[in-house]
Amino acid sequence: MIESLGIRWWGCGVEDWRTDPTFAMCRALMDGADLASFVGGVFDVRAVVASMRPEVKRGFLLDAVPWGNFPHGNDAREAVHLLHGADSPARHATGILGGLCANDSRAAAALAVPFLIRIATDAHHPHRADALAVLAAPARARHFGVASRDELLLHHTDPQRHAPEDYDDYGVEVTGYPAGWSVAAARAAITTETPTLIPLLDDPDPALRINAAYALATAADPGHTVRTALATRLATERAAMVRAALLLAAAETTRALAHPPTAAWIRERWQDRAEDPEVRLAAAIGWLCLTDEPAHENLKQTLEILATDERAQAMEALPWMAAVVGAGEPGLLRCVRCMLHPEEPEPEGGPWAYPF
């Protein structure tokens, strides 16, 4: 698996894993080392993120973080450095971090999340929108091209896939690093900073509100703090696309932690003809992911009538929809096809034909 790294990553140079110290743990695992022996240690990104001191995050003391212990860590460090610098271009930096996640190498990107949150929540930082747009990427695994009822909005992949012993159901990244550790680290960082992220739901910029909902949807929410914040914002939100994002986020948090009243509330939203079409579509998709009930005719008609090509293109503004596009098929239309007609074959090229 690690030998497959002889490719060029988005914005990242290729190193020889046999000599690169950032792949030390991955090499050891490939040689048969017990994963449990690394739990809580310097190669466990969950432990590293959890032990990051407030002054390190607040002061962007990047040299205090062991980036070199993780695959492509130095690339992730440079991306954070570029984003933090107000005069640096943001596109290259977000391309590095987003590319690592798209290429299934999230460990170092997860390490960057606490710093990205600091940038995103700084009302005066010129790159706050860019940081917020990319910070939730390592908190989701294997979601590109996934549009089925069984897997869309699902935080964990199917445990029936029989992951190797000592690995959770995420298995390993392309580098050989345990994918579940990366995802857990990113989600823990977002969960810790939930109080600072929730106010972004009220930001004047609609795109920021959408990406705030996308990030918050990955936070652990046993006290229903996130769910309550999403519902509260929806009560006053007027922008249709943001309302759609709030509903998808609410569905995602509810899929992670079942809450029947929220599922019923989401069902009411797609049935409400007074709602904007984008909102009804998002609610219908969210509800389908929360129930095993067959899609009845009223729901099918709602989706197939409202899901026009034009509306599907517009809804690419929602990160959930942008992540599932493929073979020239917009994310919304892909969701409708996969959820209502799972027996239909994939378009030529499949989900990976889309240039991420």
Side-chain angles (χ1 to χ4, degrees):
M1 179 178 294
I2 297 179
E3 288 87 339
S4 67
L5 290 176
I7 59 174
R8 184 161 188 84
W9 299 77
W10 283 20
C12 303
V14 177
E15 296 122 348
D16 185 340
W17 68 271
R18 290 173 287 260
T19 59
D20 183 359
T22 65
F23 287 87
M25 173 179 162
C26 301
R27 290 198 307 271
L29 291 173
M30 293 297 290
D31 289 338
D34 183 0
L35 179 63
S37 66
F38 294 100
V39 172
V42 295
F43 294 108
D44 185 343
V45 70
R46 302 169 302 177
V48 173
V49 169
S51 64
M52 205 177 289
R53 300 189 310 277
E55 59 268 25
V56 170
K57 295 181 283 188
R58 185 172 55 249
F60 282 80
L61 305 180
L62 301 184
D63 289 341
V65 178
W67 303 94
N69 288 358
F70 302 94
H72 304 295
N74 292 328
D75 295 311
R77 182 198 184 283
E78 178 63 15
V80 172
H81 173 71
L82 289 174
L83 276 175
H84 183 229
D87 297 329
S88 303
R91 178 171 295 184
H92 177 64
T94 55
I96 290 174
L97 296 171
L100 287 173
C101 296
N103 283 314
D104 195 26
S105 180
R106 295 174 178 79
L111 200 59
V113 171
F115 299 103
L116 298 176
I117 292 174
R118 289 299 181 283
I119 296 171
T121 54
D122 181 351
H124 303 292
H125 201 289
H127 299 328
R128 62 193 300 254
D130 301 285
L132 183 60
V134 77
L135 73 83
R140 292 174 169 88
R142 297 178 182 169
H143 67 293
F144 289 122
V146 173
S148 68
R149 293 178 66 176
D150 290 339
E151 295 182 289
L152 184 72
L153 307 183
L154 185 65
H155 279 187
H156 281 272
T157 50
D158 186 356
Q160 299 304 314
R161 290 178 179 172
H162 306 296
E165 186 177 359
D166 296 328
Y167 287 84
D168 59 24
D169 52 305
Y170 287 120
V172 296
E173 298 179 355
V174 68
T175 60
Y177 195 83
W181 287 17
S182 302
V183 174
R187 288 186 184 150
I190 292 170
T191 299
T192 298
E193 297 297 336
T194 291
T196 65
L197 289 168
I198 284 178
L200 296 183
L201 294 174
D202 298 321
D203 193 90
D205 185 347
L208 270 168
R209 300 200 296 275
I210 288 172
N211 284 318
Y214 190 61
L216 286 165
T218 65
D221 192 35
H224 307 311
T225 302
V226 171
R227 183 180 289 111
T228 299
L230 295 169
T232 299
R233 179 63 215 183
L234 189 71
T236 58
E237 181 61 60
R238 294 293 174 262
M241 211 63 74
V242 181
R243 290 176 64 80
L246 293 167
L247 283 167
L248 284 170
E252 186 170 345
T253 60
T254 302
R255 182 146 202 190
L257 183 63
H259 190 246
T262 298
W265 172 70
I266 291 172
R267 179 173 184 165
E268 291 172 1
R269 299 284 71 75
W270 74 255
Q271 293 176 326
D272 186 353
R273 294 178 181 271
E275 285 281 13
D276 291 301
E278 296 83 359
V279 180
R280 295 184 69 194
L281 285 164
I285 288 170
W287 185 77
L288 282 171
C289 293
L290 294 176
T291 181
D292 294 328
E293 294 181 27
H296 50 74
E297 287 306 312
N298 188 21
L299 176 59
K300 290 180 179 179
Q301 290 176 6
T302 297
L303 284 171
E304 293 180 341
I305 291 172
L306 297 182
T308 64
D309 289 342
E310 182 179 4
R311 195 162 284 130
Q313 293 295 335
M315 290 184 72
E316 295 300 296
L318 301 174
W320 295 269
M321 297 297 101
V324 301
V325 294
E329 186 179 34
L332 173 64
L333 300 186
R334 182 173 175 78
C335 286
V336 172
R337 177 177 59 79
C338 291
M339 293 184 180
L340 298 188
H341 309 288
E343 74 286 352
E344 291 186 4
E346 287 283 340
E348 186 176 352
W352 302 108
Y354 191 86
F356 292 106

